[in-house]
Amino acid sequence: IAGITQAPTSQILAAGRRMTLRCTQDMRHNAMYWYRQDLGLGLRLIHYSNTAGTTGKGEVPDGYSVSRANTDDFPLTLASAVPSQTSVYFCASSDGVAGGPDTQYFGPGTRLTVL
Amino acid sequence: GQNIDQPTEMTATEGAIVQINCTYQTSGFNGLFWYQQHAGEAPTFLSYNVLDGLEEKGRFSSFLSRSKGYSYLLLKELQMKDSASYLCAVKDSNYQLIWGAGTKLIIKP
């Protein structure tokens, strides 16, 4: 069982280019999340999805879009990358069951540099 | 606003005990999580508290006081591999996780 995979592992991107970060989970979790992690700051939620076919905005959604066509995949797209989007991006998933801890499990991350 | 506070960095000696504190002010409370994150790696789940009191799991314990907006993570018999960042996160009234910036723990031999 792989858990959650992310691709690419790292990427250097020219400003203005379009980029899609991929995330796939095999745990049949209902909920999925995209975070960015910057030095000195806590993880910040970009977008989330409580179940396939639905998405929601997190704390820092501007410049990013997501889709959730099926349970397993949750890609994050940067339509026109800017240097302030240089960060480490983590995808996470949880079972989404109400009444329980709904613990989030993280993928290995994508290190993105926008020049 | 919502806020999670934890020390930026702590240093401890191998074999000793260390307590990492976390205070929070959030809109609602639906549980508190501790994660461990080694440099360059993903956060991994350590513990979950939703009721007041102490939860023990091997060398790690986590305590919660909801009335004080306070939690701590206690690490016993420290090992070099415990050198990592420890992240405190609170699930708010919208069931979203609010994250602290993390405490970098340095273990010295």
Side-chain angles (χ1 to χ4, degrees):
Chain A
I1 297 176
I4 303 181
T5 58
Q6 292 184 236
T9 301
S10 64
Q11 183 75 43
I12 300 173
L13 189 66
R17 297 297 295 268
R18 180 184 180 89
M19 176 75 192
T20 295
L21 308 185
R22 300 185 297 279
C23 175
T24 300
Q25 54 105 357
D26 65 2
M27 297 178 283
R28 307 305 293 172
H29 280 171
N30 288 318
M32 297 187 75
Y33 314 84
W34 274 106
Y35 290 94
R36 59 179 290 172
Q37 187 175 41
D38 302 291
L39 201 62
L41 299 177
L43 288 160
R44 291 183 292 170
L45 183 65
I46 304 171
H47 285 286
Y48 64 94
S49 169
N50 288 329
T51 189
T54 70
T55 62
K57 293 182 179 180
E59 178 187 358
V60 289
D62 293 345
Y64 305 95
S65 63
V66 292
S67 61
R68 187 90 183 277
N70 57 59
T71 297
D72 299 344
D73 301 299
F74 191 42
L76 176 74
T77 297
L78 289 68
S80 179
V82 296
S84 61
Q85 292 178 312
T86 294
S87 188
V88 180
Y89 291 85
F90 286 104
C91 179
S93 72
S94 67
D95 59 21
V97 174
D102 196 27
T103 303
Q104 294 185 16
Y105 297 93
F106 286 78
T110 294
R111 185 173 297 273
L112 181 67
T113 303
V114 183
L115 301 175
Chain B
Q2 307 201 92
N3 198 46
I4 310 285
D5 284 319
Q6 46 180 136
T8 302
E9 187 175 296
M10 298 181 70
T11 302
T13 304
E14 189 178 14
I17 300 173
V18 70
Q19 177 175 311
I20 302 174
N21 295 326
C22 170
T23 58
Y24 62 89
Q25 291 177 309
T26 56
S27 58
F29 178 86
N30 285 294
L32 184 144
F33 295 79
W34 284 96
Y35 281 77
Q36 180 189 60
Q37 185 176 26
H38 286 100
E41 299 183 6
T44 56
F45 170 71
L46 284 178
S47 68
Y48 168 75
N49 296 72
V50 67
L51 299 177
D52 290 352
L54 189 68
E55 294 281 343
E56 296 185 81
K57 193 184 293 186
R59 293 189 300 114
F60 292 7
S61 303
S62 56
F63 171 84
L64 174 67
S65 169
R66 289 172 295 171
S67 63
K68 295 182 179 178
Y70 169 70
S71 172
Y72 67 73
L73 180 69
L74 192 71
L75 291 74
K76 303 176 185 176
E77 301 169 14
L78 286 170
Q79 302 175 9
M80 297 305 292
K81 67 178 181 180
D82 298 329
S83 292
S85 289
Y86 291 86
L87 315 181
C88 175
V90 172
K91 188 161 287 189
D92 69 8
S93 58
N94 293 319
Y95 294 90
Q96 299 292 353
L97 278 180
I98 309 301
W99 295 82
T103 298
K104 182 178 180 181
L105 178 63
I106 299 168
I107 310 295
K108 295 186 175 181

